[in-house]
Amino acid sequence: MDELSGQLKEKLAALAEEYIRMLPERFREIRDALVMAERDGSAGSLPTLRLLVHKLVGSGATFGFKELSRSGKVLENRLEKLIENGEPPEPEDYSRLREAVAALEGLCEEGEPEELEELEAPDFSELRQGPDSKSNGGGSLSEKKIIHLVDRTGVIASNVVEQLGYYGYEVEEIDDLSIVRRKLESGGRRLLIVNTEHLLHDKELSAGLSAVKRHYRNKLGIIFVSEHEDFMTRLQAVRAGGDAFFLLPLDIGRLVDKIDSLVSRVEAAPYHILIVDDDPEQVAYYAFLLQQAGMVTSVASDPMKVLSILIESKPELILMDMYMPGCSGIELTALLRQHEAFVGVPIVFLSFESNKEKQMEAICRGGDDFLTKPINPDYLIQVVSTRAERNRNIRYFMERDSLTGLLNHTNLKEHLSRELLRASRSETFLTFAMIDADHFKRVNDTYGHLTGDRVLKNLARLLLDRLRRTDIIGRYGGEEFGIILLNTDVTAAEHIMNEIRENFSRVIQQSESKQFFVTFSCGIAGFPECADASTLTLAADKALYSAKENGRNRVVVYHHQEIKG
Ligand code: GH3
Ligand code: MG
């Protein structure tokens, strides 16, 4: 589907090849800088190391090495933290840095051949590396987000540290606001949990909180936790800049919801734009503009190929040329609008055509907007990103389950079919896991349906945190979830799911003042042992049934000689 001019393609391929060739050298420099930093012992030599890592992150992104760039960013953040801290790093800091560098390097070695092969395609989002290094599913490189806790009584810490850990948050206790101030001054964001006890006894802290909050309104979230529900305590919390107020004992699920929304964990993926145009130079130019603005582009110079691209990679907006050989942009738009699946995808025309009647016709036949060339790059980017964003929002609500925000049944199944095709093409493993909450009827009967809903939300949230970004998670039915683990065989998947199962069984569920625990059972089946979607789901379902039969709270792997249906 790549129709970029041969010259540009060659240039891109040559650049990417050179990049891959130089990777070992980049890592050697990084390792050397780490050795030097450790020898030096102060935080003063860390900036050199950070710069090297930063360059690796940036160039990785340019050439489509998404995971390398993402994991590299985590390492960069960690270095930034050490630099900001200013103290000489501890020996274990260095060993953690060494581990992270080694893991990054491992990522490149695993991914190399596929990246070169995939360079044939213009869509950078398709340039993927091989198996994700996070084979333990817990994500050795997934940095925990830090939350500061001010609580000299120790009551909150004993409640939240372990529990928030299950949702990917690390709680760091502090005694005053100096760390928070430093972080905010350097442009970061912070989240604080504060015991209201201190508002009574520490006037300096109260005044400090409200001053910092006034100054960094949107960059600082403050959650107050209290044993008292009286009006005055709540008023003091509001005056000290509180965004939320929670009573002890804490309902962790609700607390996590609040933290999520304050921290806004959603790191938006780039918009994916399909450029339909037969002129390679212009394609290169517009693709370049959009990519510079952080978007990902695919190209179709042949209008006949647009349908297959739409089905395969679901772009979020089409930038449509008016005149192409074989089929005009207007005809293609009319054709796409007759497909139920593509009624909603935004189509923006971009053409030299200045005839108003022609422009009108393009809109009447299904175009959303008509932009004329030459166009101001900022305006183009604004129009494209605004429309892509709206489309993404609409799609989100159509494809997701409203309680958990996970993919709904239909979409999970669509993903499964698509990913199976991909796995079979690239001869990689794929595992499908089915999860079903244990004795869930009893949970509803004992604590009520609303509490049951909350438990399902907690489970969804835990899955989102514990699995990799590339894994696909959906709500299969009521209290049943389905997970597609890409590039993962059943043995690795069993390990991952067991870890998640154990974590979930330790999560405290809350119903008013009562606390309880819930477990789940899980059935696993893998490709290529099961070759198509229906065999795979049936096999996972059988394994799940066997997990239930054998006592629940367990993971069972399907092997056809062992489980008889
Ligand atoms: P098992 O361990 O065998 O899976 O037992 P179970 O009680 O979980 O299974 P069963 O199929 O008997 O009951 C499932 C329960 O899940 C009954 C249904 O009301 C409840 N459920 C399904 N969807 C939802 C939901 O969205 N919210 C709540 N609160 N409950 C739900
Ligand atoms: Mg159940």
Side-chain angles (χ1 to χ4, degrees):
M1 66 180 176
D2 183 8
E3 304 290 341
L4 287 179
S5 76
Q7 212 184 2
L8 182 65
K9 207 163 121 183
E10 251 175 53
K11 198 171 133 197
L12 281 175
L15 283 169
E17 245 171 50
E18 175 66 1
Y19 174 71
I20 292 169
R21 202 176 64 75
M22 291 304 287
L23 272 175
E25 174 63 14
R26 281 174 186 264
F27 275 104
R28 195 187 57 72
E29 281 175 11
I30 289 174
R31 279 197 310 271
D32 287 353
L34 182 53
V35 170
M36 293 295 284
E38 188 163 17
R39 220 174 267 159
D40 176 72
S42 77
S45 38
L46 291 177
T48 316
L49 179 61
R50 183 186 53 180
L51 187 66
L52 289 170
V53 174
H54 178 80
K55 286 205 293 198
L56 183 75
V57 170
S59 50
T62 306
F63 292 105
F65 289 63
K66 278 203 267 181
E67 188 57 27
L68 173 65
S69 146
R70 200 188 62 75
S71 304
K73 186 72 197 155
V74 173
L75 174 59
E76 194 191 341
N77 289 343
R78 191 176 294 167
L79 284 164
E80 199 172 295
K81 227 165 61 190
L82 288 172
I83 292 167
E84 263 175 32
N85 183 11
E87 302 290 327
E90 303 288 335
E92 58 266 28
D93 290 324
Y94 287 111
S95 63
R96 286 209 343 240
L97 291 173
R98 263 196 305 277
E99 278 167 24
V101 171
L104 273 184
E105 199 160 12
L107 219 58
C108 300
E109 280 159 14
E110 284 166 17
E112 198 170 307
E114 274 176 67
E115 280 143 6
L116 268 173
E117 244 175 58
E118 289 275 349
L119 200 70
E120 294 301 317
D123 178 356
F124 284 1
S125 73
E126 297 296 312
L127 284 177
R128 42 178 65 225
Q129 49 238 348
D132 196 304
S133 71
K134 285 163 62 182
S135 54
N136 64 1
S140 52
L141 288 173
S142 84
E143 182 105 320
K144 294 213 164 189
K145 302 219 171 191
I146 300 210
I147 296 173
H148 294 299
L149 172 66
V150 186
D151 177 30
R152 290 164 209 142
T153 69
V155 179
I156 303 176
S158 63
N159 260 282
V160 302
V161 176
E162 183 190 349
Q163 291 294 315
L164 287 183
Y166 294 132
Y167 296 95
Y169 289 111
E170 187 174 322
V171 179
E172 200 173 277
E173 294 192 53
I174 54 171
D175 209 40
D176 59 41
L177 298 177
S178 50
I179 291 184
V180 174
R181 274 208 189 89
R182 266 211 304 277
K183 184 74 195 174
L184 291 166
E185 275 161 17
S186 63
R189 293 167 181 270
R190 291 284 92 172
L191 197 120
L192 265 174
I193 299 180
V194 184
N195 191 332
T196 56
E197 285 302 306
H198 305 315
L199 293 180
L200 287 177
H201 308 299
D202 188 342
K203 293 291 167 221
E204 198 182 318
L205 180 75
S206 314
L209 277 172
S210 60
V212 181
K213 180 70 183 176
R214 258 200 314 279
H215 204 266
Y216 297 100
R217 179 145 296 280
N218 295 322
K219 302 238 158 130
L220 173 69
I222 306 177
I223 296 175
F224 280 101
V225 173
S226 183
E227 284 179 286
H228 316 287
E229 218 203 335
D230 58 285
F231 183 80
M232 277 318 287
T233 309
R234 282 181 173 268
L235 183 62
Q236 274 177 328
V238 168
R239 285 181 177 160
D243 294 289
F245 188 96
F246 283 85
L247 275 177
L248 285 164
L250 281 167
D251 182 330
I252 298 290
R254 286 185 205 286
L255 179 66
V256 168
D257 271 358
K258 192 70 210 176
I259 294 173
D260 281 352
S261 74
L262 286 173
V263 171
S264 181
R265 294 172 52 90
V266 198
E267 285 169 32
Y271 296 122
H272 179 183
I273 313 299
L274 171 63
I275 303 176
V276 183
D277 196 326
D278 64 314
D279 179 332
E281 273 70 41
Q282 299 215 45
V283 163
Y285 173 70
Y286 289 111
F288 179 73
L289 281 186
L290 298 177
Q291 285 165 16
Q292 290 299 300
M295 296 177 226
V296 164
T297 53
S298 296
V299 179
S301 70
D302 181 355
M304 315 267 182
K305 293 194 178 150
V306 168
L307 265 181
S308 60
I309 296 177
L310 281 172
I311 293 165
E312 172 96 359
S313 61
K314 288 196 166 186
E316 295 168 291
L317 181 141
I318 301 174
L319 197 58
M320 182 78 85
D321 190 19
M322 261 300 243
Y323 303 105
M324 292 164 289
C327 166
S328 77
I330 293 182
E331 288 168 336
L332 182 58
T333 301
L335 186 153
L336 292 178
R337 293 305 189 215
Q338 288 174 4
H339 273 266
E340 202 180 324
F342 308 126
V343 164
V345 60
I347 300 177
V348 173
F349 278 85
L350 179 59
S351 168
F352 283 113
E353 179 59 70
S354 57
N355 181 324
K356 291 284 169 208
E357 272 178 30
K358 285 268 167 58
Q359 294 188 1
M360 190 83 84
E361 192 193 348
I363 302 292
C364 289
R365 302 290 292 274
D368 290 278
D369 214 335
F370 202 106
L371 305 177
T372 43
K373 295 175 186 170
I375 185 154
N376 173 321
D378 289 337
Y379 186 67
L380 173 73
I381 287 162
Q382 196 58 50
V383 169
V384 168
S385 58
T386 309
R387 290 203 174 268
E389 180 189 11
R390 188 172 318 150
N391 179 44
R392 184 178 284 187
N393 289 340
I394 293 169
R395 208 187 254 185
Y396 184 90
F397 286 111
M398 280 169 57
E399 292 179 351
R400 307 246 156 198
D401 158 59
S402 60
L403 177 71
T404 60
L406 301 179
L407 287 177
N408 61 27
H409 183 92
T410 314
N411 271 283
L412 182 69
K413 280 175 77 172
E414 273 178 23
H415 275 274
L416 184 59
S417 306
R418 210 167 29 239
E419 293 304 336
L420 274 171
L421 279 178
R422 230 194 274 259
S424 136
R425 247 196 338 252
S426 56
E427 296 184 10
T428 48
F429 290 109
L430 178 154
T431 294
F432 185 60
M434 274 171 86
I435 283 180
D436 185 287
D438 293 329
H439 298 304
F440 204 64
K441 194 171 172 317
R442 210 186 285 165
V443 172
N444 277 330
D445 291 347
T446 316
Y447 305 103
H449 209 266
L450 281 180
T451 301
D453 281 358
R454 161 58 57 190
V455 173
L456 296 178
K457 269 184 95 159
N458 291 349
L459 175 52
R461 178 61 183 71
L462 187 100
L463 292 173
L464 282 169
D465 186 66
R466 293 280 130 171
L467 291 158
R468 300 166 303 184
R469 258 168 206 283
T470 46
D471 296 328
I472 299 161
I473 316 168
R475 187 162 175 210
Y476 205 74
E479 21 84 83
E480 221 176 356
F481 297 81
I483 300 157
I484 306 164
L485 296 119
L486 305 177
N487 281 317
T488 309
D489 64 19
V490 286
T491 314
E494 182 184 17
H495 182 76
I496 294 166
M497 295 315 300
N498 257 321
E499 191 182 296
I500 296 177
R501 180 186 59 74
E502 277 165 23
N503 276 329
F504 182 67
S505 70
R506 290 198 290 268
V507 167
I508 298 174
Q509 312 290 348
Q510 188 90 26
S511 170
E512 289 167 10
S513 58
K514 287 189 222 97
Q515 297 187 330
F516 59 100
F517 296 91
V518 177
T519 60
F520 68 70
S521 302
C522 175
I524 281 177
F527 171 88
E529 188 175 11
C530 303
D532 60 71
S534 59
T535 317
L536 191 62
T537 29
L538 199 67
D541 200 33
K542 274 188 185 164
L544 173 59
Y545 182 77
S546 161
K548 293 278 182 191
E549 285 286 282
N550 286 292
R552 296 177 173 80
N553 189 17
R554 68 193 59 231
V555 177
V556 170
V557 178
Y558 173 86
H559 295 292
H560 49 229
Q561 63 278 39
E562 288 168 25
I563 299 175
K564 301 265 182 317

